[in-house]
Amino acid sequence: MKSVLITFDQALCERIIATLDRLNCRGYTFFEHVQGRGSKTGEPHYGSHAWPSMCSAIITVVDDSAVDPLLDALHSLDVQADRLGLRAFVWHIEKTI
C-alpha cells in the first residue's frame, strides 16, 4: 500500500475528486483549507488580502498498482493548469488497521 498526498489550488478540487473517482480511489481524507507556497514556482496561497487564493489537500491510501495511473492523471491536470499548482507525494504504508 502507498499513501499519496495531493496538494492543489482550490480551483482544481472537482477535477481532483473526479480523477480519484474515475480511478476507483475511494478512500481519502480531504483538507479544504490549507496554506502554503510552492518550492519552485507559483504564488503563495495564504488566503490573505495580498495572497487571496487557498490550497486544499487530499490524502489517500491505494494499492501499489494504482499509484502510477493516479500520478499520471494528476500530472496531466497539472500540465493543463500549470499556474495553479498541484503536487503529489508518495510514501510506503507499513501497517493499517
Side-chain angles (χ1 to χ4, degrees):
M1 301 288 283
K2 301 286 186 191
S3 175
V4 182
L5 173 65
I6 309 163
T7 61
F8 52 92
D9 186 285
Q10 287 181 327
L12 293 171
C13 184
E14 290 179 9
R15 290 191 272 181
I16 300 287
I17 291 174
T19 299
L20 291 170
D21 288 344
R22 182 172 48 82
L23 296 174
N24 202 29
C25 300
R26 286 191 37 90
Y28 59 83
T29 299
F30 173 61
F31 303 93
E32 186 173 7
H33 299 288
V34 297
Q35 298 178 11
R37 180 179 68 185
S39 59
K40 297 178 182 176
T41 60
E43 298 177 348
H45 291 70
Y46 296 149
S48 68
H49 179 69
W51 303 103
S53 62
M54 287 291 291
C55 290
S56 294
I58 289 178
I59 190 166
T60 185
V61 176
V62 298
D63 288 327
D64 290 6
S65 61
V67 172
D68 287 338
L70 177 57
L71 292 181
D72 290 344
L74 293 173
H75 179 70
S76 293
L77 282 177
D78 186 39
V79 169
Q80 293 170 21
D82 65 336
R83 297 205 32 103
L84 291 179
L86 185 157
R87 297 290 179 264
F89 308 90
V90 180
W91 61 94
H92 180 73
I93 299 298
E94 293 186 26
K95 294 182 183 183
T96 62
I97 59 167

